[in-house]
Amino acid sequence: MKTVRTEAPQSPPNKLPCTLKFTAGLLGFEQEREFVLHPAMPNSPYLWLELAGQPGHGFLVISPSCCVPAYAPDIGKPDAETLSLTSADDAFVLNIVTIGSRGEATLNLRAPLVVNRHTFVGKQCVPANVSTFSLHHPIQTLPAVAA
């Protein structure tokens, strides 16, 4: 098993927007394979993962290093091989943010988006240590993002 660390080198690429390919899609969007990652707002840690074929539709995501510095999902060998990860430094990790009806934000730590930083191919993974993570980890959100 490989553990994908989330320290600074695993943050998203500096050149945004960029196109990410998820060969198996994302949960609930299995038919969608191509997504565009771009900033949600200037100088914000939040990013939009937008469906390439449906502009305006997508997911609010964030690097877990911004809110859960100790987060270390254990990505199994099959997923690491699928993504051609030879070391943790080859990957960056994003987590989907959910904004509730009262503006409260939570982070899905149970199904991280793991992306090869060299090929921009990603996969939504279920870590081997999934039971140690929350599906609704509370985080502080920016008022402009929740609006």
Side-chain angles (χ1 to χ4, degrees), residues 5-18:
R5 299 181 317 261
T6 57
E7 293 97 23
Q10 284 69 38
S11 59
N14 290 330
K15 293 187 178 189
L16 295 176
C18 66

Side-chain angles (χ1 to χ4, degrees), residues 66-116:
C66 295
C67 355
V68 190
Y71 181 65
D74 187 6
I75 304 305
K77 187 174 180 180
D79 288 335
E81 288 175 353
T82 296
L83 295 171
S84 301
L85 302 176
T86 56
S87 77
D89 293 332
D90 290 333
F92 68 88
V93 177
L94 299 170
N95 295 88
I96 295 177
V97 177
T98 301
I99 308 291
S101 60
R102 294 180 299 239
E104 68 281 5
T106 62
L107 199 58
N108 176 353
L109 298 177
R110 290 188 169 201
L113 309 178
V114 181
V115 181
N116 181 313

Side-chain angles (χ1 to χ4, degrees), residues 44-48 59-63 66-68 95-109 134-147:
S44 169
Y46 294 95
L47 304 165
W48 286 116
F59 302 92
L60 184 62
V61 297
I62 193 168
S63 171
C66 295
C67 355
V68 190
N95 295 88
I96 295 177
V97 177
T98 301
I99 308 291
S101 60
R102 294 180 299 239
E104 68 281 5
T106 62
L107 199 58
N108 176 353
L109 298 177
S134 173
L135 184 61
H136 302 286
H137 181 83
I139 60 171
Q140 185 175 11
T141 189
L142 301 174
V145 174

Side-chain angles (χ1 to χ4, degrees), residues 24-41:
L26 300 179
L27 184 61
F29 293 84
E30 291 83 1
Q31 71 285 359
E32 300 295 333
R33 308 279 195 240
E34 208 166 278
F35 295 80
V36 179
L37 184 66
H38 55 89
M41 297 179 350

